Structures are given as structure tokens and as C-alpha cells.
Amino acid sequence: NYYFPADDRLLMPQFVVHGEYETLTTAYLLRELPSDAVCIDVGANVGYYTCLMARRAWQGRTIAFEADPAIHELLRDNVAINWCEKVVDARNKAVADQPGELTLYRRAGRSGNTSIAEVSAEEAGPLEEARQWRAGS
């Protein structure tokens, strides 16, 4: 079970139709991830892979990084409703090769499309708006 932003049109349809996201990657992790693995999920979004890795690597540790504060809240909620709190460390941080600040951009309705590249109005499309915020790394 997962919470998603109510306006998400990128990830949610996959779950409605298939009950999972990126079926080949999901199958690979379920097949290959050892129970004592240490996993890192950079750009964890709402935590689909975070929870998948935590449930599979239940004797290990999963560290999840999500820079968007609103999406990070959903990540934390998804970790809780999937009973993964004991093995997940969910951090509201960006990951970069050096300390500093960066600007994140997210397309409305596409919570999985966060980027450090600015999204122009033409790229965002007529029904979407580009949102931006600053995040520390």
C-alpha cells in the first residue's frame, strides 16, 4: 500500500493498472536482493523502492533521500504503513557531490519528475506548471 500525491499522473496509473511500478526492476530486486543488504535510495520519491528494499532486506538497512519536503512526508507515511520503520532511515535531503544549495523543479501532476534542470512552460505543457523550491544538500 502506498500514498501518492492526489494529482499524480506519472506513478499512480502504474499502480492502479499493475499494482507495482517498473515490473522488471521490481522483479530483479525481489529476486536478487539479500536479506542483509544495505540499500540507498537517492530520489526516493514516495518510497516504493525504499519499502520494497526494506521488506526484502529486512535484516539490513535502507537509507532513503528525498529532497522535496511534501513528497518526503509521503515517503515517511509509506514507510510507516508498510511496517518498515525499523530498517529505514528516511532523510529529507538532496544528494550531491559537494555541500551547498540547489534549486529543484517539479512538474505539477508528475511527482517523479523532480529535476535540478529548470522546466520551461513549453516543456511543462499547457495543463501543468513548474514548481521550484530550494533544498540543502
Side-chain angles (χ1 to χ4, degrees):
N1 295 323
Y2 295 92
Y3 294 120
F4 289 93
D7 67 345
D8 183 87
R9 295 187 316 265
L10 181 67
L11 302 174
M12 193 182 321
Q14 292 290 317
F15 281 91
V16 170
V17 174
H18 303 290
E20 62 186 18
Y21 182 69
E22 296 180 336
T23 56
L24 293 177
T25 304
T26 296
Y28 174 81
L29 288 173
L30 290 174
R31 183 179 66 248
E32 300 294 331
L33 199 61
S35 63
D36 62 348
V38 175
C39 307
I40 300 173
D41 190 357
V42 176
N45 201 282
V46 299
Y48 172 71
Y49 285 117
T50 299
C51 293
L52 181 73
M53 292 185 290
R55 287 193 309 264
R56 181 73 182 136
W58 59 276
Q59 294 176 313
R61 190 88 180 126
T62 300
I63 304 168
F65 295 92
E66 176 52 51
D68 178 342
I71 301 300
H72 179 261
E73 285 186 33
L74 291 173
L75 165 65
R76 282 191 346 226
D77 290 345
N78 286 327
V79 166
I81 67 170
N82 283 280
W83 301 93
C84 299
E85 300 103 328
K86 292 189 188 241
V87 296
V88 172
D89 177 5
R91 300 177 185 188
N92 186 205
K93 297 270 186 198
V95 175
D97 63 346
Q98 56 190 349
E101 287 191 355
L102 52 87
T103 300
L104 298 176
Y105 301 89
R106 180 166 54 108
R107 292 172 60 185
R110 306 243 194 280
S111 65
N113 276 19
T114 302
S115 173
I116 59 172
E118 186 170 4
V119 179
S120 70
E122 295 80 32
E123 293 170 314
L127 300 178
E128 299 185 42
E129 63 185 50
R131 297 180 185 158
Q132 80 177 51
W133 60 97
R134 298 192 71 69
S137 59

